[in-house]
Amino acid sequence: MQAKSLYGMAVEQFNKAAELMDLEPDLAEVLRRPKRALIVEFPVMMDDGHIEVFTGYRVQHNVARGPAKGGIRYHPDTNLDEVKALAFWMTWKTAVMNLPYGGGKGGIRVDPKKLSKRELERLSRRYFSEIQIIIGPHNDIPAPDVNTNPDVMAWFMDTYSMNVGHTALGIVTGKPVDLGGSKGREEATGRGVKVCAGLAMEALGIDSKKATVAVQGFGNVGRFGALLIAQELGSKVVAVSDSKGGIYNPEGFDVEDLIKHKKEAGTVVTYPKGERIANEELLELDVDVLVPSALENAIHEGNADKIRAKAIVEGANGPTTPEADELLFKKGVLVVPDILANAGGVTVSYFEWVQDLQAFFWKLEQIRSALEEMMTDAFNDVMKTKEKYGVDMRTAAYVLAIDRVAYATRKRGIYP
Ligand code: GLU
């Protein structure tokens, strides 16, 4: 089956909100389109001496409120359409959080699991050099995303710094803590997910201490999301999965122990204290909260009807298709949308960038409490908008975000 355009799907979400708020059609067209899309084809010398050519992207969707901001992913399926959608979502995500940023995203079409560490370093450095023509601490600030991490961010930072002749910490966020990174950045997306899961349960009258939660994906987001939901909300995390499959235990997992197992074994599926289930089964479990934190299109018209969770907290970007959204809304499932639910990462990225520019670093407690406060405020703002218009949370989040970006665009005017 030919996959639907992800950017098309993202625009559908936007259009729904734009219509609802009576946004001028001309302005809607400006806000829908990406400002810049760069495609780079570049050679990398592999360990055995042969050369491979890779394709990379960096898209800046909108910069009306500040520099473009967003991660860089390494994935064999990455393509321009996907990166355009992801950049688009970053614009609305930074606006929902009221951060002084626009939206951007990048990616390389590669399976990083097939590369050696040296190959990964050469790939990362060459890619960053190639996109450097549009990157800068005041232009566009990348960060981690699927399959990239603080080590990759350190190579990016060093590559840019070597090219410009001085160390530029504020060029990228998600760096190692002792190299211009921020305390609390690694757990930040998971912490934001936890805040949203807690508030969603509260809104539905669910006691978090008695709640059950299933988490799809055990990368940076799923791992910390599951851990903090168990530790700080006291909920039972009864199912988790990664790209190899899922595991289920109705008694709830010791998530810390599970993380240890994943580190050693490379997967959660071999964890002995649970029964193996398929990724699709995990999504359909009878739980209170479902946290899809893997890739796009996990919940679609084929399985939305079978979802039994009362709330969905989107740790991933774009895990729910518009068709599934409609079905879930009719069923009364509360969907906390990606542009709010996973915004904890970019929020602490913002803190990191501010710390880098000021060369003054904050304490972990300050970061955690500032993040939790901003996530709570954004959640409540979205809830108010939802009630005002009588719509789902995604549409409400878009209304809030579009209003802010539209204001900036009108106020700045069209140049020349
Ligand atoms: N990749 C993350 C996201 O999708 C973080 C982006 C950032 O920190 O700039 O929100």
Side-chain angles (χ1 to χ4, degrees):
M1 193 179 78
Q2 172 72 34
K4 243 179 109 173
S5 156
L6 201 67
Y7 176 66
M9 177 178 123
V11 166
E12 263 182 62
Q13 299 170 338
F14 171 95
N15 288 346
K16 198 168 157 191
E19 258 169 53
L20 186 74
M21 63 198 287
D22 267 331
L23 186 70
E24 311 92 283
D26 288 2
L27 188 53
E29 192 55 12
V30 174
L31 301 189
R32 243 179 238 127
R33 304 257 191 126
K35 178 182 174 64
R36 280 191 193 100
L38 177 65
I39 305 177
V40 293
E41 306 270 357
F42 56 98
V44 177
M45 175 85 76
M46 308 309 277
D47 288 345
D48 66 3
H50 89 279
I51 292 166
E52 264 184 50
V53 181
F54 291 89
T55 309
Y57 310 90
R58 183 73 190 173
V59 175
Q60 295 170 354
H61 175 257
N62 187 292
V63 294
R65 288 167 44 87
K69 185 86 192 79
I72 288 172
R73 67 170 53 179
Y74 292 174
H75 197 276
D77 297 331
T78 289
N79 58 62
L80 183 61
D81 178 72
E82 180 194 47
V83 178
K84 268 167 66 181
L86 292 162
F88 182 86
W89 284 322
M90 286 310 302
T91 296
W92 313 117
K93 194 184 300 184
T94 57
V96 166
M97 295 308 298
N98 220 348
L99 306 176
Y101 285 140
K105 201 78 164 208
I108 305 178
R109 196 173 172 87
V110 60
D111 184 354
K113 290 173 186 132
K114 293 197 177 127
L115 300 190
S116 71
K117 191 152 188 205
R118 294 291 311 277
E119 288 170 339
L120 202 62
E121 178 173 350
R122 287 195 293 272
L123 173 94
S124 302
R125 287 182 178 280
R126 179 61 189 250
Y127 163 76
F128 210 73
S129 275
E130 294 284 347
I131 65 162
Q132 191 170 323
I133 51 173
I134 59 167
I135 299 291
H138 298 286
N139 309 33
D140 183 355
I141 306 120
D145 198 76
V146 174
N147 291 329
T148 56
N149 57 26
D151 286 347
V152 176
M153 298 308 119
W155 292 329
F156 286 163
M157 188 278 282
D158 183 68
T159 300
Y160 180 90
S161 299
M162 288 297 120
N163 288 341
V164 297
H166 61 87
T167 294
L169 296 180
I171 181 62
V172 53
T173 58
K175 299 180 295 297
V177 173
D178 292 324
L179 193 59
S182 177
K183 294 195 175 84
R185 174 62 186 85
E186 221 181 352
E187 63 166 36
T189 314
R191 181 165 293 282
V193 163
K194 179 219 73 171
V195 173
C196 288
L199 292 169
M201 290 189 223
E202 214 179 288
L204 295 172
I206 299 169
D207 177 358
S208 73
K209 293 203 167 55
K210 293 190 187 131
T212 52
V213 180
V215 180
Q216 184 208 29
F218 216 60
N220 172 274
V221 184
R223 213 163 12 113
F224 282 107
L227 183 70
L228 297 173
I229 284 171
Q231 286 184 344
E232 298 186 11
L233 298 181
S235 310
K236 265 194 217 170
V237 175
V238 296
V240 300
S241 70
D242 58 28
S243 59
K244 300 196 176 75
I247 46 165
Y248 173 66
N249 181 342
E251 299 309 314
F253 289 109
D254 172 348
V255 182
E256 226 170 330
D257 195 45
L258 192 55
I259 292 175
K260 223 173 94 205
H261 180 86
K262 166 91 180 172
K263 233 175 232 157
E264 286 158 9
T267 176
V268 295
V269 297
T270 49
Y271 190 64
K273 291 172 213 153
E275 134 200 6
R276 274 196 77 155
I277 52 167
N279 238 310
E280 303 78 60
E281 286 176 84
L282 179 141
L283 298 172
E284 297 163 15
L285 285 173
D286 189 6
V287 288
D288 292 300
V289 181
L290 173 64
V291 184
S293 4
L295 292 168
E296 302 93 59
N297 294 331
I299 304 168
H300 44 79
E301 58 187 330
N303 64 4
D305 244 351
K306 298 184 208 134
I307 301 280
R308 285 184 283 171
K310 297 178 189 73
I312 296 178
V313 180
E314 295 185 335
N317 289 309
T320 311
T321 66
E323 295 79 14
D325 256 340
E326 295 253 322
L327 289 166
L328 294 168
F329 187 61
K330 278 192 200 130
K331 272 167 68 113
V333 179
L334 184 68
V335 180
V336 188
D338 46 8
I339 57 173
L340 168 66
N342 71 36
V346 71
T347 302
V348 177
S349 275
Y350 165 60
F351 299 161
E352 177 172 337
W353 180 73
V354 169
Q355 293 171 82
D356 288 338
L357 296 183
Q358 297 182 338
F360 183 76
F361 292 86
W362 310 351
K363 290 192 177 120
L364 180 59
E365 278 325 306
Q366 260 173 297
I367 285 161
R368 283 183 174 161
S369 64
L371 170 64
E372 298 225 352
E373 193 182 320
M374 284 174 74
M375 291 296 310
T376 305
D377 288 349
F379 187 98
N380 291 335
D381 287 348
V382 170
M383 273 308 210
K384 266 189 226 131
T385 314
K386 168 182 155 59
E387 271 138 41
K388 181 173 160 200
Y389 288 94
V391 289
D392 56 288
M393 273 187 96
R394 188 184 319 281
T395 308
Y398 269 96
V399 167
L400 196 67
I402 292 172
D403 194 43
R404 288 177 178 154
V405 182
Y407 172 84
T409 310
R410 286 192 207 101
K411 213 62 185 162
R412 288 177 65 156
I414 301 294
Y415 174 88

